[in-house]
Amino acid sequence: MYDKTTFKIKENPVILGLESSCDETAAAIICGRTLLSNQIISSATEQAKYGGVVPEIASRAHTEAVANVVSRTLAEAHMRPDDIDAVAVTYGAGLLGALLVGLSFAKSFAYALNIPLIAVNHIRGHMAASYLIDKELKPPFITLLASGGHTAILHTQTPTKFKVLGGTCDDAAGEAFDKVARVLGLSYPGGVNVEKLALGGQNVVPLPKCLVKNSQNMQFSYSGLKTAVINYCHNKEQKGEEVDKANVACSFQHAAIDPLVKKTAECAKRLNVSTVTAGGGVIANGYLREQLSRECAAYGLKLVLPEKKFCTDNAAMIAAEGLIQYNIGNFADLSLNAAAAIPLK
């Protein structure tokens, strides 16, 4: 590996990011905060045949795609491997077998080129995506994190330090979207299909909001909302009544998203923070993006909203978080192992 005693931090390093935590094999290259290339090979179509991600299929797909996606990324950036200054890779959280594919490739790449290896927490990658959208973005800001595994409102105080202001007590927002999609008979991926169905419906089905009682509380709960959707559909079916699935999807979307958006803006005003960012797969939801934009405008807040392609799993966000860790010299050893679960810290 590189000589730690003589290594010097570059001002605008070229970083290769690798992401393989679920069903996307992704690679990206950044120079400083400038994105030079971003490639994704997805196995989502294959996974859809089984109604969700099958870990063994995902791992095999990563193995077949990882070298190709890195080659394509280098070509798009018009670079050779020895132009790379460091490799940032997702080591968790995610499917263990899938993570190991990307991690093993990253270790080999870093070792062969004698460059630093950077371990990236997938969730912190989602949070870092905003840095690629606004190159002048600096903490402090409030971050709405909404993904398949996490839902939280955070106070980002420095590039490496944040405080969790509130989060979900049970299911994450993305998890709830997927479960409701199955109840409504929608195919994988569930979140985007619930959103599409909701476009043809109205917010008329009485459903509980995902906010835990007590208006000052920043805790959310999606378990009750999910159960309410299940009970509503089953009761209709038992009575021989038709379920208007579009109305259910629309009503669920309102109940799941509105409290998140409102509390995020309220947190910013209460803490006197002028900027709001967002990250995670659920942030690609069109209704959420519209409501968050509207709410921030009403409160006079600046909103830095990543493009949809940077909200779902991608390697650009991994490279962005890698840059943060690079700047403080937080490098990993080749003994680094993958972790299926990592606490939000």
Side-chain angles (χ1 to χ4, degrees), residues 49-109:
K49 298 176 183 177
Y50 305 94
V53 178
V54 179
E56 292 81 1
I57 293 176
S59 299
R60 186 162 58 247
H62 288 308
T63 302
E64 295 171 352
V66 64
N68 184 20
V69 79
V70 170
S71 178
R72 284 165 42 176
T73 303
L74 287 166
E76 184 182 28
H78 303 290
M79 289 187 169
R80 299 175 302 174
D82 55 10
D83 292 321
I84 305 299
D85 296 313
V87 183
V89 60
T90 304
Y91 78 99
L95 301 174
L96 194 57
L99 289 165
L100 285 169
V101 175
L103 180 56
S104 298
F105 189 97
K107 285 182 180 182
S108 301
F109 197 96

Side-chain angles (χ1 to χ4, degrees), residues 180-263:
V180 167
R182 285 195 288 272
V183 173
L184 297 177
L186 302 176
S187 61
Y188 175 86
V192 65
N193 288 317
V194 169
E195 180 186 356
K196 289 178 181 177
L197 183 60
L199 292 174
Q202 297 180 337
N203 181 23
V204 294
V205 178
L207 294 174
K209 298 293 184 182
C210 67
L211 187 66
V212 173
K213 290 183 178 179
N214 178 356
S215 61
Q216 298 303 312
N217 201 322
M218 292 297 158
Q219 294 302 110
F220 302 91
S221 173
Y222 284 94
S223 180
L225 173 58
K226 171 199 65 182
T227 301
V229 172
I230 294 172
N231 289 340
Y232 176 84
C233 292
H234 285 179
N235 288 339
K236 282 282 190 180
E237 291 167 358
Q238 288 170 356
K239 295 177 182 177
E241 299 174 359
E242 183 179 354
V243 176
D244 190 322
K245 294 183 178 181
N247 284 347
V248 173
C250 182
S251 300
F252 164 76
Q253 191 167 251
H254 277 260
I257 288 174
D258 290 351
L260 282 181
V261 169
K262 183 174 178 59
K263 288 299 179 180

Side-chain angles (χ1 to χ4, degrees), residues 17 26-30 35 37-38 125 128-129 132 310 314-321:
I29 294 175
I30 62 172
L35 179 63
S37 60
N38 185 43
L132 297 176
F310 297 134
N314 66 91
M317 68 182 194
I318 302 303
E321 175 61 20

Side-chain angles (χ1 to χ4, degrees), residues 210-344:
C210 67
L211 187 66
V212 173
K213 290 183 178 179
N214 178 356
S215 61
Q216 298 303 312
N217 201 322
M218 292 297 158
Q219 294 302 110
F220 302 91
S221 173
Y222 284 94
S223 180
L225 173 58
K226 171 199 65 182
T227 301
V229 172
I230 294 172
N231 289 340
Y232 176 84
C233 292
H234 285 179
N235 288 339
K236 282 282 190 180
E237 291 167 358
Q238 288 170 356
K239 295 177 182 177
E241 299 174 359
E242 183 179 354
V243 176
D244 190 322
K245 294 183 178 181
N247 284 347
V248 173
C250 182
S251 300
F252 164 76
Q253 191 167 251
H254 277 260
I257 288 174
D258 290 351
L260 282 181
V261 169
K262 183 174 178 59
K263 288 299 179 180
T264 298
E266 288 179 356
C267 281
K269 294 302 291 184
R270 178 165 56 84
L271 295 175
N272 196 30
V273 176
S274 61
T275 302
V276 170
T277 70
V282 181
I283 305 301
N285 179 280
Y287 175 72
L288 185 150
R289 297 171 75 86
E290 291 173 5
Q291 292 302 108
L292 189 58
S293 297
R294 185 176 294 112
E295 198 75 14
C296 285
Y299 277 88
L301 302 168
K302 176 184 177 180
L303 175 61
V304 179
L305 197 58
E307 296 175 43
K308 289 186 178 183
K309 64 181 179 181
F310 297 134
C311 295
T312 52
D313 290 352
N314 66 91
M317 68 182 194
I318 302 303
E321 175 61 20
L323 176 62
I324 293 173
Q325 300 304 320
Y326 176 94
N327 286 334
I328 62 173
N330 186 19
F331 304 136
D333 295 325
L334 292 179
S335 60
L336 174 68
N337 202 359
I342 300 177
L344 184 61

